[in-house]
Amino acid sequence: MKKNLVLALMLVPVMALSQKLTFPADLYKASTIPDSMKTNANSVVRIEESSLEIKSPAKATLSIKKLITLLNSQAAEELTFVYYYDDFRTINEVEIKVYDESGTLDRKYSKKDMRDISANGGSTLVSDNRYLYLEIATPGYPATIEVSYKISSNGLMDYNDWEPQGYEQSVQNSKFTVSLPEAQVLRHKTTNIRIKPSETSVNGLKNYTWTVAGLKALKVEKGSQYWASYPRINMSPADFEIDNVKGNLSSWEEFGRFYYQLSSKQFDLSAVRQQEIREMTAGLKTEREKIEFLYRYMQQNMRYVSIQLGIGGWKPFAASFVDDKKYGDCKALTHYMQSLLQAVNITSYPALINAGENAEKADLMFSNNIFNHVILMVPQPKDTVWLECTSNTALPGKLGTFTENRNALIIQSEGSYLQSTPFSSASANTLEMISDVQLTETGAAKVKLNLNGKGEYRDDMIYSFARQKSEDQKLWLVNSLGLKQADTWSTQHMSEMDEVKRAIIDLEYSKLYEFSAGSKQFYRPRLQKLWQLSLPEDLERKTDYYLNCPVIKTDKTVFHLPEGFEPESLPLSVEKITAAGMYKSNFVYNEEENTVTSTASINIPNQKISVKLYPAAKAFFDEVIKAESRRLIIRKKG
């Protein structure tokens, strides 16, 4: 989906001309930055004066004027400027100036110095999105960049959120003003900051002005989420218009009505085609069986592409188009799946969602255009079936971290509403590892490893392992599973359509032990690493830590000791149960079979580790890493 909002900016070099200053002269000098603004900062916004002039439900102009000092090379991302535009947005009056440490103009750029590039790429089949691109080399650090530009919109679905502060950035002074006709409504809310706008009314225009000053750089904490930490003012229209289609965002129900009117006339499968679909499912008895059959049919016969043309960023292609061409984007494939179900009298609804791992949820109390994806919701008497229509391997009714635990807007002709998608649970994301290790007296080994993955581990095994080239598969085994690199290995992959993705891996090692001393050999407690994540030393952490998802991992490794060898010592068994998770490991020696069996499991029940729980979670994961680092020691008898 395409969001009609203005994205980032961008820079690059040219020839320095006369030095005409927009802001006070002392702000161009790096030496005038207060020391308090440099702590944890790689850049400092010296001053920003930006405005959004809303002229009608369809027209607006965003004007940006900003002066920013880059303190060091860690702020180099500020030197890449990208301005996105399309049929609804144009960019004008672009001027970028670069000043050295003393505030002397070094070079300047304009729009003509930028590369104009199509945004087509990856899975995008066709798009009218383009972007201007520029990079800059500074005369050294610190350096100051002055940026000004205007973006005119002729078609709106939302307004720009104001984000006054970036990563590792301090802000000395920043001001954002919104003006709009008295008859129009500006809806806004603050996030991660407590400020209120000043409001005035002049010549039939309402003016809202937000100001911030002295914002110190936030320490970037590993595992935190930008949306949960950084200040912004969310803004949203009541009435809007794009491509001559009018809509309203004053409530989720109104926004759902807008989306419904775009798609409701696209159910155009012919009567003949609908009869064929009914015949395909005639032998199936229950609605659930029909849902799963048609979902598999759609997965096997259609492919995902991204299509972004005009209002096509929101309006799905007709079901007949997808049926004929065998492709579509998320909107089109969801709409097509809805049409298949409609043909067999099963009701379903598109669900707009903000997708992405740990992405922000839609606010129940503040309706705005936060969405970037569409899935399908199929209500059933005892549960709800969610369908991800862009994947050819997803299971019916199963959502992954891309769309789990979000507030989805369920689209109906009347009464659209937000509904939570399923919460990710540890039991839904499991990896079972079973290893049989045949050791020789020299430490060589033959290993048979069985992997069984569900949920996120299933997806990882499919996309990061099974579908990769041999060299990338080997890297996955070493980096993701923590295996010691084998001399030779081979893999058998089972079906990608089962709930559990299975793989059997045969490995050979000329020397499996970590090290030896005399007649003793020292081995890892298991072939692969059950857990590798160690939390940062942020015991005074200010933000929550987010894992990818809750998980359960289990491992059973059987070491067949060489004839004439016995264990000198087994690692101690461990059991840790905390609010952050549970870890167990155990070791048993079978003298008759001369085997050591290592079993271990870890259960992480929550995706988010709160600030309050963080020290205890840090201690828990450290203990797990310590337990995993102990060695199994075997020796030659007598």
Side-chain angles (χ1 to χ4, degrees):
M1 270 189 185
K2 172 173 64 179
K3 297 185 71 175
N4 186 41
L5 77 162
V6 180
L7 302 179
L9 21 155
M10 135 176 231
L11 323 165
V12 146
V14 161
M15 299 178 60
L17 301 177
S18 61
Q19 189 160 341
K20 182 180 179 181
L21 302 182
T22 305
F23 301 111
D26 64 320
L27 294 179
Y28 293 79
K29 300 176 182 179
S31 61
T32 62
I33 299 174
D35 290 340
S36 61
M37 291 286 101
K38 298 177 182 178
T39 303
N40 296 325
N42 292 321
S43 66
V44 180
V45 174
R46 311 303 305 278
I47 188 170
E48 180 178 8
E49 295 178 353
S50 300
S51 64
L52 177 64
E53 182 185 1
I54 301 165
K55 302 172 183 178
S56 72
K59 296 180 182 295
T61 299
L62 175 69
S63 300
I64 300 292
K65 290 183 179 180
K66 177 188 283 191
L67 193 68
I68 180 172
T69 297
L70 316 186
L71 299 177
N72 52 55
S73 60
Q74 298 301 307
E77 64 179 22
E78 300 285 350
L79 299 176
T80 300
F81 285 68
V82 181
Y83 299 101
Y84 284 86
Y85 70 97
D86 54 29
D87 286 349
F88 302 113
R89 291 168 294 182
T90 57
I91 303 170
N92 296 297
E93 301 182 30
V94 179
E95 187 173 49
I96 299 166
K97 298 178 182 178
V98 182
Y99 299 84
D100 65 15
E101 181 177 3
S102 67
T104 301
L105 181 64
D106 181 74
R107 63 194 75 189
K108 59 193 286 189
Y109 309 90
S110 65
K111 183 177 177 179
K112 63 181 178 61
D113 299 306
M114 299 180 177
R115 294 173 60 196
D116 192 332
I117 302 171
S118 170
N120 283 359
S123 60
T124 301
L125 179 66
V126 62
S127 169
D128 59 13
N129 290 346
R130 300 189 66 82
Y131 62 94
L132 299 176
Y133 178 85
L134 190 62
E135 288 189 356
I136 188 172
T138 68
Y141 294 98
T144 297
I145 312 298
E146 183 178 0
V147 181
S148 64
Y149 61 94
K150 287 186 177 182
I151 296 183
S152 298
S153 298
N154 186 17
L156 295 170
M157 284 187 64
D158 53 22
Y159 301 149
N160 286 75
D161 292 340
W162 182 48
E163 299 178 352
Q165 185 176 26
Y167 275 125
E168 299 177 327
Q169 185 177 85
S170 295
V171 180
Q172 283 187 266
N173 289 282
S174 186
K175 179 175 71 173
F176 187 74
T177 300
V178 179
S179 66
L180 70 166
E182 290 277 6
Q184 287 189 244
V185 176
L186 175 69
R187 303 170 53 256
H188 58 86
K189 73 164 187 173
T190 58
T191 301
N192 304 321
I193 192 172
R194 293 183 179 180
I195 57 174
K196 293 183 178 180
S198 64
E199 299 182 29
T200 61
S201 182
V202 180
N203 298 327
L205 294 178
K206 294 181 292 187
N207 300 287
Y208 299 80
T209 301
W210 288 267
T211 60
V212 296
L215 291 182
K216 295 183 179 180
L218 299 176
K219 181 182 178 182
V220 177
E221 296 179 318
K222 185 178 179 181
S224 64
Q225 296 298 315
Y226 183 91
W227 55 264
S229 307
Y230 280 79
R232 73 180 183 273
I233 307 299
N234 299 97
M235 285 175 279
S236 182
D239 295 311
F240 65 85
E241 181 179 330
I242 181 169
D243 210 13
N244 297 316
V245 180
K246 295 180 179 180
N248 186 280
L249 252 169
S250 59
S251 68
W252 290 120
E253 183 176 0
E254 287 293 338
F255 192 53
R257 185 177 289 115
F258 164 78
Y259 186 82
Y260 180 83
Q261 72 171 321
L262 292 181
S263 59
S264 60
K265 296 181 180 179
Q266 304 299 86
F267 296 102
D268 65 343
L269 291 180
S270 68
V272 172
R273 186 67 175 115
Q274 292 184 57
Q275 180 60 30
E276 290 174 350
I277 295 165
R278 286 190 285 271
E279 290 174 358
M280 286 193 298
T281 58
L284 304 176
K285 297 180 180 179
T286 67
E287 280 199 357
R288 188 63 180 249
E289 288 176 323
K290 292 179 181 179
I291 292 168
E292 294 186 3
F293 176 86
L294 291 173
Y295 182 62
R296 291 299 192 199
Y297 173 81
M298 187 270 298
Q299 288 180 306
Q300 293 165 9
N301 290 277
M302 309 299 157
R303 64 187 176 93
Y304 168 76
V305 298
S306 178
I307 301 170
Q308 305 286 341
L309 284 175
I311 202 166
W314 281 85
K315 184 176 182 179
F317 282 133
S320 60
F321 176 93
V322 178
D323 199 51
D324 178 55
K325 300 297 184 182
K326 309 302 181 189
Y327 63 73
D329 60 8
C330 65
K331 305 176 298 298
L333 293 177
T334 297
H335 187 76
Y336 179 71
M337 184 66 209
Q338 185 181 12
S339 298
L340 295 180
L341 294 175
Q342 190 179 72
V344 294
N345 299 315
I346 296 176
T347 300
S348 61
Y349 304 102
L352 306 185
I353 200 162
N354 187 30
E357 195 169 89
N358 287 317
E360 185 177 9
K361 292 183 180 181
D363 188 335
L364 293 171
M365 305 306 295
F366 184 78
S367 50
N368 65 329
N369 180 18
I370 192 175
F371 307 115
N372 59 11
H373 190 49
V374 189
I375 58 179
L376 192 66
M377 187 270 276
V378 190
Q380 292 288 281
K382 294 184 179 180
D383 61 359
T384 297
V385 180
W386 298 90
L387 300 176
E388 170 55 72
C389 298
T390 63
S391 171
N392 62 6
T393 61
L395 299 168
K398 301 290 185 181
L399 297 179
T401 57
F402 194 59
T403 51
E404 282 180 325
N405 192 20
R406 307 295 155 73
N407 292 326
L409 182 60
I410 309 303
I411 303 299
Q412 299 182 354
S413 58
E414 296 293 336
S416 297
Y417 61 96
L418 288 181
Q419 178 173 326
S420 177
T421 60
F423 281 70
S424 186
S425 65
S427 61
N429 303 298
T430 64
L431 180 63
E432 179 187 39
M433 300 171 284
I434 303 172
S435 301
D436 187 83
V437 183
Q438 301 282 345
L439 293 173
T440 71
E441 61 180 23
T442 64
K446 291 186 176 181
V447 177
K448 185 173 290 291
L449 169 61
N450 284 267
L451 295 178
N452 302 307
K454 285 177 58 179
E456 287 304 296
Y457 288 113
R458 173 184 179 272
D459 292 345
D460 195 33
M461 287 177 63
I462 291 173
Y463 293 105
S464 300
F465 183 50
R467 293 189 175 185
Q468 298 301 314
K469 296 179 180 178
S470 177
E471 190 63 29
D472 292 325
Q473 289 184 338
K474 181 169 65 176
L475 289 175
W476 185 85
L477 292 172
V478 173
N479 296 330
S480 294
L481 292 188
L483 288 175
K484 184 175 182 179
Q485 186 166 312
D487 297 296
T488 63
W489 62 279
S490 61
T491 303
Q492 300 176 55
H493 288 289
M494 310 308 168
S495 171
E496 293 184 352
M497 304 310 292
D498 296 334
E499 182 177 7
V500 176
K501 176 69 175 86
R502 306 179 190 278
I504 300 173
I505 306 169
D506 292 295
L507 308 106
E508 292 191 12
Y509 294 88
S510 59
K511 192 175 292 183
L512 183 61
Y513 58 73
E514 296 293 286
F515 59 92
S516 63
S519 63
K520 300 178 183 179
Q521 296 174 357
F522 296 74
Y523 291 88
R524 293 181 184 179
R526 55 198 57 87
L527 190 68
Q528 48 280 329
K529 294 180 180 179
L530 187 70
W531 193 255
Q532 301 185 68
L533 175 65
S534 179
L535 298 184
E537 295 281 353
D538 293 335
L539 299 185
E540 296 184 0
R541 191 176 176 92
K542 300 293 190 298
T543 57
D544 298 331
Y545 188 101
Y546 288 80
L547 300 168
N548 293 342
C549 59
V551 299
I552 295 175
K553 295 179 71 176
T554 61
D555 182 277
K556 179 180 178 181
T557 301
V558 179
F559 293 92
H560 298 265
L561 305 189
E563 185 176 350
F565 278 72
E566 64 183 357
E568 179 182 86
S569 65
L570 300 178
L572 295 175
S573 295
V574 176
E575 182 173 351
K576 293 289 181 183
I577 301 176
T578 72
M582 179 179 68
Y583 171 80
K584 293 181 180 180
S585 67
N586 187 51
F587 299 86
V588 175
Y589 175 55
N590 185 317
E591 185 174 1
E592 182 179 347
E593 297 180 359
N594 201 24
T595 60
V596 173
T597 300
S598 161
T599 57
S601 65
I602 188 167
N603 184 330
I604 309 300
N606 299 307
Q607 185 171 5
K608 183 176 75 173
I609 300 173
S610 68
V611 170
K612 183 178 180 180
L613 185 62
Y614 188 84
K618 165 66 177 169
F620 169 73
F621 287 122
D622 285 349
E623 290 185 50
V624 171
I625 297 294
K626 182 179 179 181
E628 289 288 295
S629 67
R630 295 189 174 100
R631 294 290 180 258
L632 164 66
I633 306 172
I634 67 173
R635 66 184 177 189
K636 197 164 187 177
K637 296 178 182 178

